[in-house]
Amino acid sequence: MKLALPRLRTAALALLFAAGLMAAGADPLAPTATWSAYTAGRAATPPMGWSSWNAFGTDIDEHKVLGAAQSLVDQGLAAKGYRYINIDDGWWLQRRLSDGMLIIRTERFPSTQQANGTPSFRSFTDRLHAMGLKAGIYTDLGRNSCSQAYSPDDTDLPKGSVLEREVGLYGHTQQDIALFFETWGFDYIKVDGCGLRAFGADAEKVRSGKYRELKPALDMDSVARSDIAAVQQQFRDIHNALVKSNPDGDFVLSLCVWGAGNVRAWGKDFGNLSRTSDDITPSWSRMLTNFDSAAKRAFYAHPGSWNDPDMLFIGKGEFDAKHLTEARSHFSLWAMLNAPLFIGMDMRKAPESLVELLGNRELIALNQDAAGHQATLAYDSHDVQILVKTLSSGDKAVAIFNRTAAPADVELQAAHLKLRADADVELLDLWSGQQRRLRGQMKLKLAAHETLVFKARGTRVLADGLYLSEQPGNVNPAVDGVVQPMPDPTLHRSAKGWQGTRGSGERPIYAGWGGVQADSAPYGEALSLNGKRYETGIGSLANSRLEVRNHGYRRFSATVGVNDSARDAASTATFAVYGDGKLLATSRALKWGDSGEPITADVSGVKLIELVVRATTPDAAALPVTWADAALLAK
Ligand code: GAL
């Protein structure tokens, strides 16, 4: 017999189910008064450096890696911030079965040889440290690595028996992390996930007996077939091991599960940087895919938890010295997104023009700006995009990006920058060094694939505060209301991946569709309440909780309501503002067609504001709600 639950309880349960919360038992919308995104480790600004992967694949050795390090120092790039020298896949020979010790390929890294027969990277990392640099190492969540998964003919793969070739973290997390950080002295770890993706029972390499089966917990094509909780638990264990091995907190944790398993929504809670897509290649089209995977995820990145659209491919293919326009665009976009900046070319042979490009101080300064606000899209189309980033000085950076292979005419408006149209805006072109002035608007001509980047100073539309959509680095969607993660269909789908045109093409695979957006409703629609358009605000789904760090502002204000884009005209939602856990303001229950309701709260002295929207009717999943004109004000 079914139990007849009281109506209210049923509704509450429906909400809990909707938020996927029954297992945890807690109400995820309840204020916590704490910032929950990742802040451990050392990544207050996006990490910068060099990685061996795009330059050499698994064909690495000590000369190449130390050569890169020496070049960065000699070329002045290390002094400009490129500090981490990261060894990617290919360094390992095997795991010693007697004690689980990882053995390095000593013929490639001769300095790791030791009298006792057990190789160590310690003198190698000592050398990097003595050069004023930091050292990074690479591993995998599973038993095996990505090259073992996808490059069966690679002569640089680990050698030995099935068990000896199991070089990944699986079952060895504590031991390996202690080895990397305590014994060997590394400072940075990239954790890949192919071992959790490619070794299912039906894989040829498993059936043939070459590798042991590990039931896949990550499926690129299906969030539902990914075991997200298991993957998260592994990252938690890795974090705990890192904290234990690094009492001074000097580590960086890089998550590399390529946008799978809905990681674009939760990577920010588990590591310092998190890959938002599969691998970049040195092609314009593929670069667009990787850029798109992070470009609309500004709220999912903050100081300490950055979106990673993958390493730079400047120096190769369509980004080599013969393609300076494309190389500059690639660099400009990564700078605006606060992407980690990892050079991926053989720096010993780097042409002067590219050393200069990578050393552009102004662009680096945008990327490393202390406020940590990823750029948001002020104008969006498949042809041209305008990205705007708020800097800690209060100035803006704006990038005008021509995605197409034809020249483009663009009108840049002061309004794109949230600057007043009736006052001058001073612009500094960060590639040419030219100064320009804009009043109201300005016409620009862009070459094919060109990106112009300006630093801009003008008069703010909002004189005494900052819109929340201008400060995504201070806003964390702790719960974004997405209940059934769906792939974002708007990402560029490239025919220039490693797969080429084999198969049926890249399908939408990167979950995150419907996430929290700046100046836009969750699915890219306009912010609009009862027919009134808002150019500024935050678009979210109901049953969401946003954490907002307050740096000294006194008042929060917004106009709230159910967005006109809602397909569901009956459901209602209430909006609440909390300050350090205490309720400060609420709205009445609002539904589609209601005019926006002003909401304001005194936040003087409050450190953490939480913006909570609760659907007050069951079955209200995916109800788009709007915090229009949401701002923190000085008075
Ligand atoms: C991929 C990863 C690349 C690189 C490669 C090494 O999974 O995305 O960045 O690390 O593995 O095999």
Side-chain angles (χ1 to χ4, degrees), residues 65-89:
V65 181
L66 291 174
Q70 193 59 54
S71 304
L72 289 183
V73 172
D74 296 344
Q75 290 151 346
L77 292 173
K80 289 179 175 175
Y82 295 94
R83 289 196 307 150
Y84 286 93
I85 303 297
N86 291 356
I87 302 178
D88 207 280
D89 204 349

Side-chain angles (χ1 to χ4, degrees), residues 53 58 88-89 138 146-147 190 192 194 256 258 275 278-279 310-311:
W53 182 250
T58 51
D88 207 280
D89 204 349
Y138 172 89
C146 289
S147 51
K190 171 173 168 183
D192 219 323
C194 298
C256 182
W258 344 272
R275 280 276 296 278
D278 216 327
D279 294 9
D310 205 358
M311 300 167 285

